[in-house]
Amino acid sequence: MALDLANYREQARDAIKAFWGNREAAARKQEETGNIDRGTRGAVTAGNNLNGFLALMQSLVRANGLHDAQIHIDKGLVVLPGYFRPTKQWDVVVMRGNRLVAALEFKSQVGSYGNNYNNRTEEAIGVAHCLWTAWREGALGDQPRPFLGWLMVVGDEDESRRPIRTAQPHFNVFPEWRDASYIQRYDQLCRRLVKEGLYAAAALLATPLNSAETGAYAEFSPLSGLEYFVTTFAAHIAAEASRPPPPEVTPLVQTHT
């Protein structure tokens, strides 16, 4: 059965339009109420800037035959166990009965690149390592390896594209990091997250600040591109759909005598 990529490019453009539209609406609302966050934070505190990408993932699940999946996006239902901390809230959790099919994380950054790039990087590495260790130790039950995905939307602007000097006081950094812009750093991060097996797919989309009407975005390498992300995700979903559903778990009943 051929994979169905759910017209992902058009859906991605719609998601980018919504991303900018939601940012602008959130910023206007905070200006009207007089509750203005510092910098660009006021544009992102609404919390739903990337809902268009959630819709794309939902389309891919349904289009590739996993009709009995439960696709969770509500805060109380996207909690998964960790190993180095008790739990972690993901953005999308796809379940099939008691089996974790996929966990997805979507992030964005526009402005304040120097303050937030390292935080985003450390978080992406840490949450994946924490979940895989919990999976290894049996926290998810005896199940196949789930799909982990990480998607990053970055503002495509002078600040994110200019070369950044890298300090090397004691040892030389890898050549690809020298004078790399924040977009180049995110591209390297996505590719290495996949190569190291932390995520099945990690995508970077850079979108110009005037893309609310066009939904324009750029990609930078095949491994960090959206096509690889959606194709890998769709293949995982199709493979899960070909398996028998997991058996129902009978609750443990305590008998008192």
Side-chain angles (χ1 to χ4, degrees):
M1 172 179 161
L3 297 179
D4 188 334
L5 301 187
N7 200 13
Y8 75 94
R9 292 198 182 279
E10 182 175 340
Q11 288 206 59
R13 285 191 292 270
D14 289 342
I16 292 294
K17 293 176 187 177
F19 169 74
W20 289 115
N22 289 335
R23 284 178 58 88
E24 293 168 1
R28 284 196 303 270
K29 183 177 180 180
Q30 293 208 347
E31 288 178 2
E32 291 168 0
T33 60
N35 181 21
I36 301 176
D37 289 335
R38 292 181 299 172
T40 59
R41 186 173 180 269
V44 299
T45 51
N48 60 355
N49 292 342
L50 298 175
N51 278 359
F53 291 101
L54 306 185
L56 171 57
M57 298 303 118
Q58 290 173 316
S59 297
L60 288 166
V61 171
R62 301 307 184 202
N64 288 281
L66 198 57
H67 303 297
D68 58 348
Q70 300 85 45
I71 306 171
H72 299 297
I73 60 174
D74 293 336
K75 184 177 292 187
L77 297 175
V78 293
V79 178
L80 295 175
Y83 184 79
F84 299 98
R85 60 177 175 176
T87 61
K88 151 72 180 164
Q89 284 187 346
W90 294 75
D91 290 315
V92 183
V93 167
V94 181
M95 299 290 298
R96 191 185 190 196
N98 65 336
R99 181 184 298 161
L100 175 63
V101 177
L104 308 173
E105 189 87 342
F106 301 128
K107 296 295 182 183
S108 66
Q109 186 177 355
V110 178
S112 301
Y113 298 102
N115 293 333
N116 293 320
Y117 165 77
N118 284 338
N119 292 338
R120 288 281 189 260
T121 298
E122 291 163 5
E123 182 185 23
I125 296 167
V127 298
H129 182 51
C130 190
L131 183 63
W132 286 130
T133 308
W135 172 75
R136 184 196 69 198
E137 295 299 312
L140 306 180
D142 187 14
Q143 67 157 60
R145 188 177 175 93
F147 179 101
L148 295 194
W150 193 78
L151 184 144
M152 184 73 191
V153 175
V154 178
D156 195 345
E157 54 182 324
D158 290 342
E159 186 182 353
S160 60
R161 283 189 174 268
R162 66 180 176 85
I164 305 299
R165 181 178 176 273
T166 304
Q168 305 175 74
H170 303 294
F171 304 101
N172 292 332
V173 302
F174 289 105
E176 55 269 26
W177 295 118
R178 294 173 192 159
D179 298 323
S181 68
Y182 285 112
I183 283 180
Q184 290 172 319
R185 291 181 179 193
Y186 272 123
D187 179 47
Q188 287 288 343
L189 170 65
C190 287
R191 287 190 278 164
R192 292 179 182 203
L193 290 174
V194 175
K195 288 181 177 180
E196 292 298 315
L198 290 174
Y199 293 87
L204 170 65
L205 306 181
T207 174
L209 307 190
N210 60 352
S211 299
E213 298 297 325
T214 65
Y217 63 88
E219 301 167 86
F220 298 92
S221 63
L223 193 56
S224 68
L226 187 59
E227 181 177 4
Y228 183 83
F229 190 106
V230 298
T231 301
T232 307
F233 181 65
H236 183 86
I237 293 299
E240 175 62 35
S242 70
R243 299 188 183 103
E248 293 186 7
V249 177
T250 302
L252 181 64
V253 177
Q254 184 174 4
T255 303
H256 298 278
T257 57

